[in-house]
């Protein structure tokens, strides 16, 4: 969905995990296209064969803009990713290779490499060293595949044990590993919960940002339902050097289609 703001154009992608949830997953592709979206994102395509997801994208005329690396089984130490879990290197590497295979088939230019949760019995420094080493290996694979990796920090209110401390830490890891291959997923919701100052931090991290996501706070509803000044945020993104997609990763306050009125209301 290409939208005009006071600063210029932006591209919005529908997150099919969060939007159109009143429909079975495979029907959400057409629903997104019918609502004006031309790009979609969702964390895990792995429940379906990659060729089936490709068929759904093509039938709806959509682009896949980002996917996540696979998550572990419910209740496992790697439920939110294996990158920071000592002893899970084999699982991490296998997941990266699967994600890159899916990204190639789906045409996704970015893979979010999930940091995961730090196990209670693991020293934070050990978990972080594990993370950096794993991202270094993943960057080598992504470079060969022509895919960029995105690192995302999740706020500590929602995930107290999330292993990546902040978006600033994500940027530092990207710079240390390979900033041409690894960058930051800047989620305005998580940034607002974690210390705020979202526009200032967006500007500072802009050279490292490879993907953007939006939701409001509190409640993680659509933009315009909380405290973030999204009219200013989206206008600023439009005039910045960021030319990627903006993922709509929010839970509609009522239903998806009614909630999409925020687009015209905030960007007009």
């Amino acid at each position: 969905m290409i939208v005009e703001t006071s600063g210029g154009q932006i591209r919005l992608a529908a997150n099919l995990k969060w939007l159109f949830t009143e429909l079975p997953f495979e029907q959400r592709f057409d629903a997104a296209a019918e609502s004006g979206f031309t790009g979609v994102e969702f964390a895990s395509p792995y429940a379906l064969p990659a060729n089936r997801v490709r068929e759904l994208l093509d039938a709806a005329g959509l682009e896949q803009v980002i996917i996540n690396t696979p998550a572990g089984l419910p209740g496992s130490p790697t439920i939110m990713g294996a990158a920071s879990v000592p002893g899970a290197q084999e699982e991490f590497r296998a997941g990266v290779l699967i994600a890159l295979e899916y990204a190639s088939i789906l045409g996704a230019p970015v893979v979010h490499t999930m940091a995961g949760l730090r196990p209670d019995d693991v020293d934070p420094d050990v978990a972080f060293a594990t993370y950096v080493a794993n991202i270094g290996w993943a960057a080598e694979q992504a470079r060969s595949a022509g895919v960029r990796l995105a690192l995302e920090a999740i706020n500590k209110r929602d995930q107290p044990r999330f292993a990546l401390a902040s978006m600033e830490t994500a940027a530092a890891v990207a710079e240390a590993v390979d900033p041409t291959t690894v960058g930051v997923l800047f989620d305005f919701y998580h940034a607002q919960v974690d210390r705020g100052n979202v526009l200032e931090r967006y500007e500072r991290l802009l050279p490292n940002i490879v993907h953007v996501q939006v939701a409001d706070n509190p409640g993680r509803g659509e933009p315009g339902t909380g405290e973030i000044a999204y009219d200013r945020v989206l206008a600023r993104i439009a005039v910045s050097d960021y030319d990627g997609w903006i993922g709509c990763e929010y839970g509609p306050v009522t239903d998806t289609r009614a909630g999409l009125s925020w687009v015209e209301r905030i960007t007009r």
Side-chain angles (χ1 to χ4, degrees), residues 117-143:
L117 303 177
R118 177 180 61 81
D120 288 330
D121 59 348
V122 173
D123 183 275
D125 291 340
V126 173
F128 186 67
T130 301
Y131 176 69
V132 174
N134 277 330
I135 296 301
W137 181 87
E140 294 178 6
Q141 316 312 309
R143 194 179 306 117

Side-chain angles (χ1 to χ4, degrees), residues 185-202:
L185 193 166
F186 194 96
D187 185 306
F188 277 87
Y189 165 76
H190 290 305
Q192 178 69 6
V193 177
D194 171 33
R195 33 182 135 157
N197 297 320
V198 292
L199 275 178
E200 177 185 337
R201 295 169 70 199
Y202 171 81

Side-chain angles (χ1 to χ4, degrees), residues 31-102:
E34 290 165 3
S35 295
F37 288 102
T38 54
V40 293
E41 62 177 31
F42 43 93
S44 179
Y46 308 108
L48 296 173
N51 287 333
R52 175 55 180 157
V53 181
R54 178 78 260 176
E55 289 174 357
L56 293 167
L57 292 167
D58 289 343
L62 296 168
E63 295 182 47
Q64 183 80 39
V65 304
I66 190 172
I67 58 173
N68 287 6
T69 49
L73 295 173
S76 72
T78 59
I79 187 172
M80 293 195 67
S84 299
V85 181
Q89 182 189 71
E90 184 176 338
E91 179 180 346
F92 173 78
R93 292 188 172 189
V96 168
L97 296 179
I98 291 170
L100 292 176
E101 179 183 351
Y102 267 74

Side-chain angles (χ1 to χ4, degrees), residues 3 77 93 124 134 151-152 170 230 264:
V3 178
R93 292 188 172 189
N134 277 330
L151 312 181
E152 180 184 25
Y230 267 112
E264 181 179 355

Side-chain angles (χ1 to χ4, degrees), residues 9-29:
Q9 288 186 341
I10 55 173
R11 293 186 296 168
L12 300 178
N15 189 301
L16 298 187
K17 175 185 176 182
W18 290 78
L19 304 186
F20 306 105
T21 56
E22 62 275 11
L23 298 171
F25 181 73
E26 292 193 19
Q27 295 180 25
R28 297 176 197 175
F29 293 81

